[in-house]
Amino acid sequence: QSVLTQPPSASGTPGQRVTVSCSGSSSNIGTNTVNWYQQLPGTAPKLLIYSNNQRPSGVSDRFSGSKSGTSASLAISGLQSEDEADYYCAAWDDSLNGVVFGGGTKLTVL
Amino acid sequence: EVQVLESGGGLVQPGGSLRLSCAASGFAFSTYAMNWVRQAPGKGLEWVSGISGSSGNTYYTDSVRGRFTISRDSSKNTLYLQMNSLRVEDTAVYYCAKSHYYDVSAYVDYWGQGTLVTVSS
């Protein structure tokens, strides 16, 4: 049981916009920033979004993040087949004194 | 170019010990916090432990506290994870991960390729 809650799966067709939600509590998302990671099949995770809505250099602007209260969302616009991956949200938890992850969302491009 | 490269994984019996290493390059190693994150087969990511830059404060998830010890040797640009009293449920790919700042609470910006630890009799 992960501290942050994500839907286990999401899907969309090429060109669509999809969103992935991440729900937490006052000790993690409610107080600290949210980061998102993309894990392509068989590879290590990669930083996708940091500090709620910032994109690292090299990450497509099709990816965007937002946060409100104790929830956060990742949006992917203009869906492409190469976006098929697992997506994880993460945040620091002040009560646990550690990093907490969501359980991950498997995105399928139909 | 930032690089982190894990080593030391393998097969170990329940109750046994293993030490993972992570060789870092391309950044001022002593300045940044470092972490270990694991992923059990077919499961999600789980943060295991972190160590801050400069002060060397350490942090652990509850399931490994008292069994695992994170440390760093800045003279060798290397991060370690000493794992004792290993359990079957510790089986996972262990990733070495660099934080963006000296504080462990900062986001992870670089990941290694991982090393597989299998605990089985």
Side-chain angles (χ1 to χ4, degrees):
Chain A
Q1 192 81 351
S2 302
V3 174
L4 304 182
T5 301
Q6 297 180 236
S9 63
S11 63
T13 57
Q16 267 191 332
R17 181 179 186 271
V18 298
T19 61
V20 178
S21 62
C22 175
S23 178
S25 68
S26 57
S27 63
N28 41 67
I29 295 178
T31 308
N32 300 300
T33 58
V34 178
N35 311 298
W36 291 89
Y37 299 91
Q38 178 192 58
Q39 187 175 32
L40 296 169
T43 69
K46 166 193 162 186
L47 178 64
L48 194 64
I49 296 287
Y50 67 94
S51 299
N52 302 328
N53 54 17
Q54 302 298 302
R55 280 187 308 277
S57 172
V59 171
S60 171
D61 59 5
R62 297 186 299 105
F63 296 92
S64 62
S66 64
K67 181 184 117 170
S68 178
T70 59
S71 294
S73 289
L74 171 71
I76 309 171
S77 61
L79 201 60
Q80 300 178 3
S81 57
E82 55 260 42
D83 298 333
E84 271 207 352
D86 294 323
Y87 293 86
Y88 295 90
C89 59
W92 180 260
D93 191 296
D94 289 340
S95 295
L96 298 174
N97 230 15
V99 177
V100 291
F101 282 93
T105 298
K106 184 176 184 61
L107 175 64
T108 301
V109 180
L110 302 170
Chain B
E1 180 191 3
V2 172
Q3 288 192 331
V4 290
L5 182 63
E6 307 91 339
S7 61
L11 175 64
V12 61
Q13 291 188 337
S17 298
L18 208 58
R19 188 177 83 157
L20 305 183
S21 299
C22 170
S25 61
F27 64 99
F29 178 74
S30 62
T31 302
Y32 292 90
M34 297 293 295
N35 306 268
W36 291 98
V37 178
R38 67 185 178 185
Q39 186 169 34
K43 302 297 184 182
L45 301 174
E46 180 188 24
W47 177 84
V48 173
S49 180
I51 184 168
S52 62
S54 63
S55 68
N57 290 337
T58 58
Y59 305 81
Y60 300 92
T61 192
D62 285 346
S63 63
V64 308
R65 187 174 290 112
R67 299 188 299 123
F68 290 11
T69 302
I70 190 172
S71 63
R72 64 195 302 162
D73 185 338
S74 293
S75 69
K76 297 181 179 179
N77 283 0
T78 302
L79 177 73
Y80 301 100
L81 186 67
Q82 177 67 44
M83 304 185 294
N84 299 330
S85 303
L86 281 162
R87 305 168 180 167
V88 170
E89 54 266 34
D90 294 319
T91 295
V93 173
Y94 284 73
Y95 292 103
C96 172
K98 170 189 169 292
S99 293
H100 185 66
Y101 200 44
Y102 68 85
D103 199 307
V104 175
S105 65
Y107 61 89
V108 165
D109 55 5
Y110 288 95
W111 300 71
Q113 289 306 302
T115 187
L116 176 62
V117 172
T118 303
V119 185
S120 174
S121 55

